[in-house]
Amino acid sequence: MEQVFRMSEITLNVKGMKCGGCAKRVEDALKGLPGVTSAKVDLKKGEVQVAYDSASTTPEQMKKKVTEAGYKVE
Ligand SMILES: [Cu+2]
């Protein structure tokens, strides 16, 4: 069976991440979404870079997930 992937990348600005624990929480939350293949936080910049399959998830779902984890996406 053939599967179609549409890999995309997005950088989200996340407010409120202060330490490695915050970074891990945000990364884990995003990786819990179907279709997210990697999530990498840059604490200095307050950003998280996400690689995902746009057929499986959307930036809106990512924002919701990060917000549920207790952080704010701009
Ligand atoms: Cu923290």
Side-chain angles (χ1 to χ4, degrees):
M1 202 168 92
E2 201 177 323
Q3 244 182 325
V4 180
F5 291 101
R6 285 181 281 157
M7 292 312 299
S8 301
E9 273 201 350
I10 191 172
T11 302
L12 302 172
N13 292 304
V14 180
K15 276 213 162 170
M17 297 186 298
K18 290 185 173 66
C19 67
C22 296
K24 192 176 185 315
R25 224 168 291 146
V26 168
E27 287 173 352
D28 286 349
L30 289 167
K31 285 177 191 165
L33 283 170
V36 171
T37 53
S38 92
K40 241 187 163 181
V41 164
D42 185 325
L43 272 181
K44 258 191 206 163
K45 292 184 186 168
E47 291 177 353
V48 57
Q49 208 171 16
V50 188
Y52 65 105
D53 171 17
S54 60
S56 302
T57 192
T58 63
E60 282 66 39
Q61 283 175 293
M62 294 174 203
K63 284 180 193 174
K64 189 166 175 271
K65 199 81 179 179
V66 171
T67 303
E68 282 169 1
Y71 303 91
K72 202 175 169 187
V73 181
E74 298 207 303

